[in-house]
Structure formats: structure tokens, C-alpha cells
PDB file of all heavy atoms in Angstrom:
ATOM      1  N   ASN A 854     170.994 164.176 163.089  1.00 91.00           N
ATOM      2  CA  ASN A 854     170.934 164.890 161.768  1.00 91.00           C
ATOM      3  C   ASN A 854     169.674 164.677 160.878  1.00 91.00           C
ATOM      4  O   ASN A 854     169.755 164.433 159.727  1.00 91.00           O
ATOM      5  CB  ASN A 854     172.195 164.629 160.963  1.00 91.00           C
ATOM      6  CG  ASN A 854     173.469 165.160 161.644  1.00 91.00           C
ATOM      7  OD1 ASN A 854     173.426 166.273 162.229  1.00 91.00           O
ATOM      8  ND2 ASN A 854     174.547 164.486 161.555  1.00 91.00           N
ATOM      9  N   THR A 855     168.616 164.539 161.610  1.00 91.00           N
ATOM     10  CA  THR A 855     167.239 164.418 160.985  1.00 91.00           C
ATOM     11  C   THR A 855     166.385 165.638 161.379  1.00 91.00           C
ATOM     12  O   THR A 855     166.677 166.301 162.384  1.00 91.00           O
ATOM     13  CB  THR A 855     166.583 163.183 161.311  1.00 91.00           C
ATOM     14  OG1 THR A 855     166.353 163.111 162.822  1.00 91.00           O
ATOM     15  CG2 THR A 855     167.357 162.002 160.873  1.00 91.00           C
ATOM     16  N   PRO A 856     165.325 166.054 160.642  1.00 91.00           N
ATOM     17  CA  PRO A 856     164.483 167.073 161.065  1.00 91.00           C
ATOM     18  C   PRO A 856     163.803 166.700 162.350  1.00 91.00           C
ATOM     19  O   PRO A 856     163.467 165.610 162.597  1.00 91.00           O
ATOM     20  CB  PRO A 856     163.410 167.159 159.921  1.00 91.00           C
ATOM     21  CG  PRO A 856     164.144 166.561 158.782  1.00 91.00           C
ATOM     22  CD  PRO A 856     164.997 165.493 159.280  1.00 91.00           C
ATOM     23  N   ILE A 857     163.616 167.767 163.294  1.00 91.00           N
ATOM     24  CA  ILE A 857     163.031 167.430 164.570  1.00 91.00           C
ATOM     25  C   ILE A 857     161.513 167.138 164.290  1.00 91.00           C
ATOM     26  O   ILE A 857     160.869 167.526 163.305  1.00 91.00           O
ATOM     27  CB  ILE A 857     163.131 168.646 165.524  1.00 91.00           C
ATOM     28  CG1 ILE A 857     162.323 169.831 165.099  1.00 91.00           C
ATOM     29  CG2 ILE A 857     164.612 169.012 165.629  1.00 91.00           C
ATOM     30  CD1 ILE A 857     162.089 170.858 166.210  1.00 91.00           C
ATOM     31  N   SER A 858     160.886 166.434 165.299  1.00 91.00           N
ATOM     32  CA  SER A 858     159.502 166.041 165.211  1.00 91.00           C
ATOM     33  C   SER A 858     158.594 167.266 165.453  1.00 91.00           C
ATOM     34  O   SER A 858     158.997 168.223 166.242  1.00 91.00           O
ATOM     35  CB  SER A 858     159.262 164.925 166.171  1.00 91.00           C
ATOM     36  OG  SER A 858     157.882 164.727 166.297  1.00 91.00           O
ATOM     37  N   ASP A 859     157.450 167.247 164.799  1.00 90.00           N
ATOM     38  CA  ASP A 859     156.413 168.240 165.012  1.00 90.00           C
ATOM     39  C   ASP A 859     155.995 168.220 166.543  1.00 90.00           C
ATOM     40  O   ASP A 859     155.592 169.212 167.052  1.00 90.00           O
ATOM     41  CB  ASP A 859     155.175 168.042 164.100  1.00 90.00           C
ATOM     42  CG  ASP A 859     154.294 169.177 164.085  1.00 90.00           C
ATOM     43  OD1 ASP A 859     154.795 170.327 164.115  1.00 90.00           O
ATOM     44  OD2 ASP A 859     153.079 168.970 163.899  1.00 90.00           O
ATOM     45  N   MET A 860     156.083 167.017 167.154  1.00 92.00           N
ATOM     46  CA  MET A 860     155.697 166.949 168.492  1.00 92.00           C
ATOM     47  C   MET A 860     156.557 167.725 169.484  1.00 92.00           C
ATOM     48  O   MET A 860     156.257 168.123 170.556  1.00 92.00           O
ATOM     49  CB  MET A 860     155.756 165.484 168.971  1.00 92.00           C
ATOM     50  CG  MET A 860     154.505 164.672 168.480  1.00 92.00           C
ATOM     51  SD  MET A 860     152.917 165.354 168.827  1.00 92.00           S
ATOM     52  CE  MET A 860     153.020 165.288 170.665  1.00 92.00           C
ATOM     53  N   THR A 861     157.804 168.042 169.019  1.00 92.00           N
ATOM     54  CA  THR A 861     158.694 168.894 169.779  1.00 92.00           C
ATOM     55  C   THR A 861     158.130 170.252 170.031  1.00 92.00           C
ATOM     56  O   THR A 861     158.105 170.867 171.074  1.00 92.00           O
ATOM     57  CB  THR A 861     160.093 168.989 169.235  1.00 92.00           C
ATOM     58  OG1 THR A 861     160.673 167.653 168.930  1.00 92.00           O
ATOM     59  CG2 THR A 861     161.037 169.754 170.030  1.00 92.00           C
ATOM     60  N   LEU A 862     157.551 170.804 168.891  1.00 93.00           N
ATOM     61  CA  LEU A 862     156.928 172.130 168.973  1.00 93.00           C
ATOM     62  C   LEU A 862     155.581 172.011 169.772  1.00 93.00           C
ATOM     63  O   LEU A 862     155.365 172.945 170.559  1.00 93.00           O
ATOM     64  CB  LEU A 862     156.646 172.701 167.603  1.00 93.00           C
ATOM     65  CG  LEU A 862     157.820 172.799 166.660  1.00 93.00           C
ATOM     66  CD1 LEU A 862     157.440 173.455 165.337  1.00 93.00           C
ATOM     67  CD2 LEU A 862     158.999 173.515 167.345  1.00 93.00           C
ATOM     68  N   THR A 863     154.807 170.898 169.519  1.00 92.00           N
ATOM     69  CA  THR A 863     153.627 170.771 170.317  1.00 92.00           C
ATOM     70  C   THR A 863     153.867 170.673 171.768  1.00 92.00           C
ATOM     71  O   THR A 863     153.159 171.392 172.598  1.00 92.00           O
ATOM     72  CB  THR A 863     152.881 169.478 169.855  1.00 92.00           C
ATOM     73  OG1 THR A 863     152.604 169.532 168.455  1.00 92.00           O
ATOM     74  CG2 THR A 863     151.580 169.298 170.568  1.00 92.00           C
ATOM     75  N   LYS A 864     154.894 170.094 172.185  1.00 93.00           N
ATOM     76  CA  LYS A 864     155.222 169.912 173.647  1.00 93.00           C
ATOM     77  C   LYS A 864     155.676 171.249 174.189  1.00 93.00           C
ATOM     78  O   LYS A 864     155.264 171.621 175.297  1.00 93.00           O
ATOM     79  CB  LYS A 864     156.370 168.903 173.825  1.00 93.00           C
ATOM     80  CG  LYS A 864     156.722 168.687 175.297  1.00 93.00           C
ATOM     81  CD  LYS A 864     157.876 167.583 175.394  1.00 93.00           C
ATOM     82  CE  LYS A 864     158.173 167.313 176.826  1.00 93.00           C
ATOM     83  NZ  LYS A 864     158.562 168.508 177.592  1.00 93.00           N
ATOM     84  N   ALA A 865     156.457 171.934 173.374  1.00 92.00           N
ATOM     85  CA  ALA A 865     156.890 173.361 173.818  1.00 92.00           C
ATOM     86  C   ALA A 865     155.628 174.207 174.118  1.00 92.00           C
ATOM     87  O   ALA A 865     155.637 174.952 175.106  1.00 92.00           O
ATOM     88  CB  ALA A 865     157.751 173.990 172.863  1.00 92.00           C
ATOM     89  N   LEU A 866     154.708 174.189 173.172  1.00 93.00           N
ATOM     90  CA  LEU A 866     153.480 175.039 173.340  1.00 93.00           C
ATOM     91  C   LEU A 866     152.686 174.582 174.574  1.00 93.00           C
ATOM     92  O   LEU A 866     152.099 175.399 175.309  1.00 93.00           O
ATOM     93  CB  LEU A 866     152.672 175.066 172.127  1.00 93.00           C
ATOM     94  CG  LEU A 866     153.359 175.704 170.866  1.00 93.00           C
ATOM     95  CD1 LEU A 866     152.550 175.360 169.593  1.00 93.00           C
ATOM     96  CD2 LEU A 866     153.346 177.166 171.048  1.00 93.00           C
ATOM     97  N   ARG A 867     152.570 173.271 174.748  1.00 93.00           N
ATOM     98  CA  ARG A 867     151.845 172.761 175.883  1.00 93.00           C
ATOM     99  C   ARG A 867     152.551 173.092 177.192  1.00 93.00           C
ATOM    100  O   ARG A 867     151.933 173.542 178.184  1.00 93.00           O
ATOM    101  CB  ARG A 867     151.665 171.311 175.779  1.00 93.00           C
ATOM    102  CG  ARG A 867     150.695 170.796 174.700  1.00 93.00           C
ATOM    103  CD  ARG A 867     150.699 169.312 174.587  1.00 93.00           C
ATOM    104  NE  ARG A 867     149.694 168.931 173.499  1.00 93.00           N
ATOM    105  CZ  ARG A 867     149.722 167.597 173.065  1.00 93.00           C
ATOM    106  NH1 ARG A 867     150.451 166.683 173.574  1.00 93.00           N
ATOM    107  NH2 ARG A 867     148.797 167.352 172.178  1.00 93.00           N
ATOM    108  N   ASP A 868     153.826 173.040 177.231  1.00 92.00           N
ATOM    109  CA  ASP A 868     154.661 173.286 178.464  1.00 92.00           C
ATOM    110  C   ASP A 868     154.478 174.669 178.928  1.00 92.00           C
ATOM    111  O   ASP A 868     154.448 175.013 180.051  1.00 92.00           O
ATOM    112  CB  ASP A 868     156.089 172.925 178.267  1.00 92.00           C
ATOM    113  CG  ASP A 868     156.448 171.447 178.102  1.00 92.00           C
ATOM    114  OD1 ASP A 868     155.491 170.644 178.516  1.00 92.00           O
ATOM    115  OD2 ASP A 868     157.547 171.053 177.682  1.00 92.00           O
ATOM    116  N   HIS A 869     154.351 175.516 177.943  1.00 90.00           N
ATOM    117  CA  HIS A 869     154.236 176.950 178.234  1.00 90.00           C
ATOM    118  C   HIS A 869     152.709 177.446 178.221  1.00 90.00           C
ATOM    119  O   HIS A 869     152.452 178.659 178.329  1.00 90.00           O
ATOM    120  CB  HIS A 869     155.025 177.815 177.247  1.00 90.00           C
ATOM    121  CG  HIS A 869     156.525 177.650 177.398  1.00 90.00           C
ATOM    122  ND1 HIS A 869     157.244 178.064 178.495  1.00 90.00           N
ATOM    123  CD2 HIS A 869     157.385 176.960 176.659  1.00 90.00           C
ATOM    124  CE1 HIS A 869     158.522 177.767 178.327  1.00 90.00           C
ATOM    125  NE2 HIS A 869     158.663 177.031 177.265  1.00 90.00           N
ATOM    126  N   LYS A 870     151.813 176.421 178.083  1.00 90.00           N
ATOM    127  CA  LYS A 870     150.384 176.739 178.116  1.00 90.00           C
ATOM    128  C   LYS A 870     150.050 177.924 177.198  1.00 90.00           C
ATOM    129  O   LYS A 870     149.344 178.896 177.573  1.00 90.00           O
ATOM    130  CB  LYS A 870     149.939 177.169 179.557  1.00 90.00           C
ATOM    131  CG  LYS A 870     150.118 175.909 180.515  1.00 90.00           C
ATOM    132  CD  LYS A 870     149.714 176.264 181.874  1.00 90.00           C
ATOM    133  CE  LYS A 870     149.696 175.085 182.823  1.00 90.00           C
ATOM    134  NZ  LYS A 870     151.088 174.433 182.941  1.00 90.00           N
ATOM    135  N   ALA A 871     150.416 177.829 175.977  1.00 90.00           N
ATOM    136  CA  ALA A 871     150.171 178.848 174.965  1.00 90.00           C
ATOM    137  C   ALA A 871     148.666 178.817 174.674  1.00 90.00           C
ATOM    138  O   ALA A 871     148.126 177.880 174.076  1.00 90.00           O
ATOM    139  CB  ALA A 871     150.975 178.590 173.638  1.00 90.00           C
ATOM    140  N   GLN A 872     147.970 179.867 175.089  1.00 89.00           N
ATOM    141  CA  GLN A 872     146.544 179.950 174.893  1.00 89.00           C
ATOM    142  C   GLN A 872     146.067 180.199 173.479  1.00 89.00           C
ATOM    143  O   GLN A 872     146.754 180.950 172.787  1.00 89.00           O
ATOM    144  CB  GLN A 872     145.970 181.054 175.770  1.00 89.00           C
ATOM    145  CG  GLN A 872     146.247 180.877 177.331  1.00 89.00           C
ATOM    146  CD  GLN A 872     145.500 179.582 177.749  1.00 89.00           C
ATOM    147  OE1 GLN A 872     144.305 179.394 177.489  1.00 89.00           O
ATOM    148  NE2 GLN A 872     146.207 178.710 178.446  1.00 89.00           N
ATOM    149  N   SER A 873     144.967 179.601 173.095  1.00 87.00           N
ATOM    150  CA  SER A 873     144.488 179.717 171.789  1.00 87.00           C
ATOM    151  C   SER A 873     143.123 180.441 171.842  1.00 87.00           C
ATOM    152  O   SER A 873     142.655 180.834 172.900  1.00 87.00           O
ATOM    153  CB  SER A 873     144.272 178.315 171.088  1.00 87.00           C
ATOM    154  OG  SER A 873     143.043 177.706 171.649  1.00 87.00           O
ATOM    155  N   ASP A 874     142.477 180.616 170.611  1.00 84.00           N
ATOM    156  CA  ASP A 874     141.263 181.263 170.543  1.00 84.00           C
ATOM    157  C   ASP A 874     140.079 180.392 170.867  1.00 84.00           C
ATOM    158  O   ASP A 874     138.914 180.725 170.776  1.00 84.00           O
ATOM    159  CB  ASP A 874     141.051 181.864 169.205  1.00 84.00           C
ATOM    160  CG  ASP A 874     141.238 180.922 168.032  1.00 84.00           C
ATOM    161  OD1 ASP A 874     141.546 179.691 168.333  1.00 84.00           O
ATOM    162  OD2 ASP A 874     141.085 181.257 166.901  1.00 84.00           O
ATOM    163  N   ILE A 875     140.425 179.032 171.178  1.00 84.00           N
ATOM    164  CA  ILE A 875     139.387 178.075 171.564  1.00 84.00           C
ATOM    165  C   ILE A 875     139.584 177.777 173.101  1.00 84.00           C
ATOM    166  O   ILE A 875     140.631 177.302 173.491  1.00 84.00           O
ATOM    167  CB  ILE A 875     139.606 176.750 170.705  1.00 84.00           C
ATOM    168  CG1 ILE A 875     139.461 177.032 169.199  1.00 84.00           C
ATOM    169  CG2 ILE A 875     138.495 175.692 171.217  1.00 84.00           C
ATOM    170  CD1 ILE A 875     139.602 175.820 168.346  1.00 84.00           C
ATOM    171  N   PRO A 876     138.541 178.029 173.893  1.00 83.00           N
ATOM    172  CA  PRO A 876     138.629 177.843 175.290  1.00 83.00           C
ATOM    173  C   PRO A 876     139.184 176.457 175.594  1.00 83.00           C
ATOM    174  O   PRO A 876     138.739 175.509 174.974  1.00 83.00           O
ATOM    175  CB  PRO A 876     137.270 178.041 175.736  1.00 83.00           C
ATOM    176  CG  PRO A 876     136.598 178.969 174.778  1.00 83.00           C
ATOM    177  CD  PRO A 876     137.284 178.518 173.436  1.00 83.00           C
ATOM    178  N   SER A 877     140.103 176.355 176.546  1.00 82.00           N
ATOM    179  CA  SER A 877     140.636 175.102 177.034  1.00 82.00           C
ATOM    180  C   SER A 877     141.508 174.393 176.058  1.00 82.00           C
ATOM    181  O   SER A 877     141.933 173.298 176.308  1.00 82.00           O
ATOM    182  CB  SER A 877     139.572 174.157 177.557  1.00 82.00           C
ATOM    183  OG  SER A 877     138.862 173.519 176.463  1.00 82.00           O
ATOM    184  N   ARG A 878     141.811 175.008 174.928  1.00 89.00           N
ATOM    185  CA  ARG A 878     142.696 174.361 173.887  1.00 89.00           C
ATOM    186  C   ARG A 878     144.042 175.091 173.800  1.00 89.00           C
ATOM    187  O   ARG A 878     144.035 176.333 173.759  1.00 89.00           O
ATOM    188  CB  ARG A 878     141.971 174.311 172.522  1.00 89.00           C
ATOM    189  CG  ARG A 878     140.739 173.448 172.441  1.00 89.00           C
ATOM    190  CD  ARG A 878     141.085 172.029 172.461  1.00 89.00           C
ATOM    191  NE  ARG A 878     141.959 171.509 171.503  1.00 89.00           N
ATOM    192  CZ  ARG A 878     141.600 171.270 170.135  1.00 89.00           C
ATOM    193  NH1 ARG A 878     140.343 171.358 169.831  1.00 89.00           N
ATOM    194  NH2 ARG A 878     142.491 170.883 169.310  1.00 89.00           N
ATOM    195  N   ILE A 879     145.118 174.369 173.783  1.00 91.00           N
ATOM    196  CA  ILE A 879     146.443 174.957 173.530  1.00 91.00           C
ATOM    197  C   ILE A 879     146.659 175.285 172.105  1.00 91.00           C
ATOM    198  O   ILE A 879     146.249 174.522 171.174  1.00 91.00           O
ATOM    199  CB  ILE A 879     147.573 174.057 174.083  1.00 91.00           C
ATOM    200  CG1 ILE A 879     147.288 173.825 175.622  1.00 91.00           C
ATOM    201  CG2 ILE A 879     148.907 174.566 173.859  1.00 91.00           C
ATOM    202  CD1 ILE A 879     147.478 174.966 176.486  1.00 91.00           C
ATOM    203  N   ALA A 880     147.275 176.484 171.867  1.00 93.00           N
ATOM    204  CA  ALA A 880     147.625 176.854 170.516  1.00 93.00           C
ATOM    205  C   ALA A 880     148.479 175.877 169.784  1.00 93.00           C
ATOM    206  O   ALA A 880     149.363 175.215 170.471  1.00 93.00           O
ATOM    207  CB  ALA A 880     148.269 178.229 170.475  1.00 93.00           C
ATOM    208  N   THR A 881     148.370 175.675 168.574  1.00 93.00           N
ATOM    209  CA  THR A 881     149.219 174.780 167.756  1.00 93.00           C
ATOM    210  C   THR A 881     150.182 175.535 166.903  1.00 93.00           C
ATOM    211  O   THR A 881     149.917 176.785 166.559  1.00 93.00           O
ATOM    212  CB  THR A 881     148.358 173.846 166.824  1.00 93.00           C
ATOM    213  OG1 THR A 881     147.650 174.676 165.889  1.00 93.00           O
ATOM    214  CG2 THR A 881     147.343 172.998 167.626  1.00 93.00           C
ATOM    215  N   ALA A 882     151.260 174.872 166.421  1.00 93.00           N
ATOM    216  CA  ALA A 882     152.266 175.518 165.643  1.00 93.00           C
ATOM    217  C   ALA A 882     151.511 175.942 164.316  1.00 93.00           C
ATOM    218  O   ALA A 882     151.816 177.030 163.909  1.00 93.00           O
ATOM    219  CB  ALA A 882     153.371 174.582 165.374  1.00 93.00           C
ATOM    220  N   HIS A 883     150.745 175.071 163.706  1.00 93.00           N
ATOM    221  CA  HIS A 883     150.115 175.393 162.432  1.00 93.00           C
ATOM    222  C   HIS A 883     149.101 176.654 162.617  1.00 93.00           C
ATOM    223  O   HIS A 883     148.916 177.310 161.676  1.00 93.00           O
ATOM    224  CB  HIS A 883     149.322 174.145 161.944  1.00 93.00           C
ATOM    225  CG  HIS A 883     148.842 174.374 160.473  1.00 93.00           C
ATOM    226  ND1 HIS A 883     149.621 174.171 159.448  1.00 93.00           N
ATOM    227  CD2 HIS A 883     147.624 174.700 160.050  1.00 93.00           C
ATOM    228  CE1 HIS A 883     148.988 174.462 158.334  1.00 93.00           C
ATOM    229  NE2 HIS A 883     147.705 174.727 158.670  1.00 93.00           N
ATOM    230  N   GLY A 884     148.606 176.721 163.859  1.00 93.00           N
ATOM    231  CA  GLY A 884     147.591 177.807 164.096  1.00 93.00           C
ATOM    232  C   GLY A 884     148.193 179.136 163.848  1.00 93.00           C
ATOM    233  O   GLY A 884     147.467 180.137 163.693  1.00 93.00           O
ATOM    234  N   PHE A 885     149.504 179.347 164.018  1.00 95.00           N
ATOM    235  CA  PHE A 885     150.092 180.631 163.864  1.00 95.00           C
ATOM    236  C   PHE A 885     149.900 181.178 162.442  1.00 95.00           C
ATOM    237  O   PHE A 885     149.971 182.420 162.245  1.00 95.00           O
ATOM    238  CB  PHE A 885     151.599 180.610 164.229  1.00 95.00           C
ATOM    239  CG  PHE A 885     151.835 180.638 165.725  1.00 95.00           C
ATOM    240  CD1 PHE A 885     152.298 179.468 166.338  1.00 95.00           C
ATOM    241  CD2 PHE A 885     151.536 181.682 166.509  1.00 95.00           C
ATOM    242  CE1 PHE A 885     152.469 179.393 167.731  1.00 95.00           C
ATOM    243  CE2 PHE A 885     151.797 181.728 167.859  1.00 95.00           C
ATOM    244  CZ  PHE A 885     152.153 180.578 168.472  1.00 95.00           C
ATOM    245  N   ARG A 886     149.713 180.385 161.470  1.00 95.00           N
ATOM    246  CA  ARG A 886     149.417 180.777 160.110  1.00 95.00           C
ATOM    247  C   ARG A 886     147.996 181.512 160.077  1.00 95.00           C
ATOM    248  O   ARG A 886     147.832 182.591 159.448  1.00 95.00           O
ATOM    249  CB  ARG A 886     149.426 179.630 159.127  1.00 95.00           C
ATOM    250  CG  ARG A 886     150.786 179.110 158.787  1.00 95.00           C
ATOM    251  CD  ARG A 886     150.795 177.768 158.135  1.00 95.00           C
ATOM    252  NE  ARG A 886     150.058 177.740 156.886  1.00 95.00           N
ATOM    253  CZ  ARG A 886     150.590 178.165 155.675  1.00 95.00           C
ATOM    254  NH1 ARG A 886     151.664 178.680 155.638  1.00 95.00           N
ATOM    255  NH2 ARG A 886     149.781 178.032 154.641  1.00 95.00           N
ATOM    256  N   SER A 887     147.056 180.913 160.856  1.00 94.00           N
ATOM    257  CA  SER A 887     145.728 181.617 160.996  1.00 94.00           C
ATOM    258  C   SER A 887     145.896 182.942 161.734  1.00 94.00           C
ATOM    259  O   SER A 887     145.218 183.953 161.423  1.00 94.00           O
ATOM    260  CB  SER A 887     144.795 180.640 161.723  1.00 94.00           C
ATOM    261  OG  SER A 887     144.431 179.529 160.963  1.00 94.00           O
ATOM    262  N   THR A 888     146.792 182.903 162.744  1.00 95.00           N
ATOM    263  CA  THR A 888     146.983 184.133 163.501  1.00 95.00           C
ATOM    264  C   THR A 888     147.523 185.258 162.581  1.00 95.00           C
ATOM    265  O   THR A 888     146.971 186.402 162.681  1.00 95.00           O
ATOM    266  CB  THR A 888     148.061 183.861 164.554  1.00 95.00           C
ATOM    267  OG1 THR A 888     147.648 182.829 165.428  1.00 95.00           O
ATOM    268  CG2 THR A 888     148.305 185.096 165.477  1.00 95.00           C
ATOM    269  N   PHE A 889     148.487 184.907 161.760  1.00 96.00           N
ATOM    270  CA  PHE A 889     149.005 185.897 160.853  1.00 96.00           C
ATOM    271  C   PHE A 889     147.904 186.328 159.833  1.00 96.00           C
ATOM    272  O   PHE A 889     147.776 187.563 159.556  1.00 96.00           O
ATOM    273  CB  PHE A 889     150.191 185.292 160.009  1.00 96.00           C
ATOM    274  CG  PHE A 889     150.551 186.111 158.751  1.00 96.00           C
ATOM    275  CD1 PHE A 889     151.135 187.336 158.833  1.00 96.00           C
ATOM    276  CD2 PHE A 889     150.092 185.694 157.490  1.00 96.00           C
ATOM    277  CE1 PHE A 889     151.421 188.053 157.684  1.00 96.00           C
ATOM    278  CE2 PHE A 889     150.369 186.330 156.361  1.00 96.00           C
ATOM    279  CZ  PHE A 889     151.049 187.594 156.450  1.00 96.00           C
ATOM    280  N   ARG A 890     147.097 185.411 159.390  1.00 95.00           N
ATOM    281  CA  ARG A 890     146.086 185.786 158.395  1.00 95.00           C
ATOM    282  C   ARG A 890     145.056 186.705 158.982  1.00 95.00           C
ATOM    283  O   ARG A 890     144.629 187.672 158.287  1.00 95.00           O
ATOM    284  CB  ARG A 890     145.333 184.423 157.926  1.00 95.00           C
ATOM    285  CG  ARG A 890     144.441 184.675 156.700  1.00 95.00           C
ATOM    286  CD  ARG A 890     145.169 185.149 155.560  1.00 95.00           C
ATOM    287  NE  ARG A 890     144.308 185.439 154.406  1.00 95.00           N
ATOM    288  CZ  ARG A 890     143.618 186.513 154.200  1.00 95.00           C
ATOM    289  NH1 ARG A 890     143.737 187.588 155.062  1.00 95.00           N
ATOM    290  NH2 ARG A 890     142.882 186.695 153.120  1.00 95.00           N
ATOM    291  N   ASP A 891     144.711 186.497 160.269  1.00 95.00           N
ATOM    292  CA  ASP A 891     143.799 187.419 160.862  1.00 95.00           C
ATOM    293  C   ASP A 891     144.349 188.773 161.061  1.00 95.00           C
ATOM    294  O   ASP A 891     143.667 189.861 160.895  1.00 95.00           O
ATOM    295  CB  ASP A 891     143.387 186.873 162.369  1.00 95.00           C
ATOM    296  CG  ASP A 891     142.564 185.643 162.226  1.00 95.00           C
ATOM    297  OD1 ASP A 891     141.887 185.359 161.111  1.00 95.00           O
ATOM    298  OD2 ASP A 891     142.318 184.879 163.266  1.00 95.00           O
ATOM    299  N   TRP A 892     145.641 188.845 161.435  1.00 96.00           N
ATOM    300  CA  TRP A 892     146.406 190.115 161.557  1.00 96.00           C
ATOM    301  C   TRP A 892     146.295 190.885 160.255  1.00 96.00           C
ATOM    302  O   TRP A 892     146.095 192.052 160.239  1.00 96.00           O
ATOM    303  CB  TRP A 892     147.763 189.903 162.039  1.00 96.00           C
ATOM    304  CG  TRP A 892     148.666 191.105 162.114  1.00 96.00           C
ATOM    305  CD1 TRP A 892     148.736 192.045 163.131  1.00 96.00           C
ATOM    306  CD2 TRP A 892     149.445 191.543 161.000  1.00 96.00           C
ATOM    307  NE1 TRP A 892     149.590 193.046 162.713  1.00 96.00           N
ATOM    308  CE2 TRP A 892     150.051 192.826 161.384  1.00 96.00           C
ATOM    309  CE3 TRP A 892     149.756 191.103 159.688  1.00 96.00           C
ATOM    310  CZ2 TRP A 892     150.979 193.511 160.587  1.00 96.00           C
ATOM    311  CZ3 TRP A 892     150.604 191.820 158.933  1.00 96.00           C
ATOM    312  CH2 TRP A 892     151.172 193.001 159.318  1.00 96.00           C
ATOM    313  N   ALA A 893     146.638 190.121 159.194  1.00 95.00           N
ATOM    314  CA  ALA A 893     146.653 190.781 157.919  1.00 95.00           C
ATOM    315  C   ALA A 893     145.341 191.445 157.466  1.00 95.00           C
ATOM    316  O   ALA A 893     145.242 192.498 156.922  1.00 95.00           O
ATOM    317  CB  ALA A 893     147.162 189.803 156.757  1.00 95.00           C
TER     318      ALA A 893
END
């Protein structure tokens, strides 16, 4: 009954090899805010 760790999301993105806009770097959870900002 505590908030889950940020590393849980990081691991999920790594496990699924979520590609980012930086070559050879996996996308981060925080990076989706930039994704939205670019879309807007």
C-alpha cells in the first residue's frame, strides 16, 4: 500500500524496448511530456 517505484515504469519501457528520439536510448516515462508538447 505504497506508491510504486519509478523504476517499475523504467523497467517496463526497457523490457519493451520503447524507442526514443535519441539513438540507442530507451524512452523514459518523463519523456512522454515532451512527446505531448511536440505534438501540441
Side-chain angles (χ1 to χ4, degrees):
N854 292 324
T855 58
I857 72 165
S858 166
D859 195 35
M860 284 305 299
T861 303
L862 303 186
T863 301
K864 184 178 184 301
L866 292 167
R867 287 175 180 171
D868 289 347
H869 293 288
K870 296 181 173 58
Q872 295 300 308
S873 75
D874 52 359
I875 301 175
S877 74
R878 295 288 302 277
I879 297 298
T881 63
H883 190 81
F885 283 108
R886 286 166 58 81
S887 295
T888 304
F889 163 76
R890 188 65 182 83
D891 289 343
W892 172 87

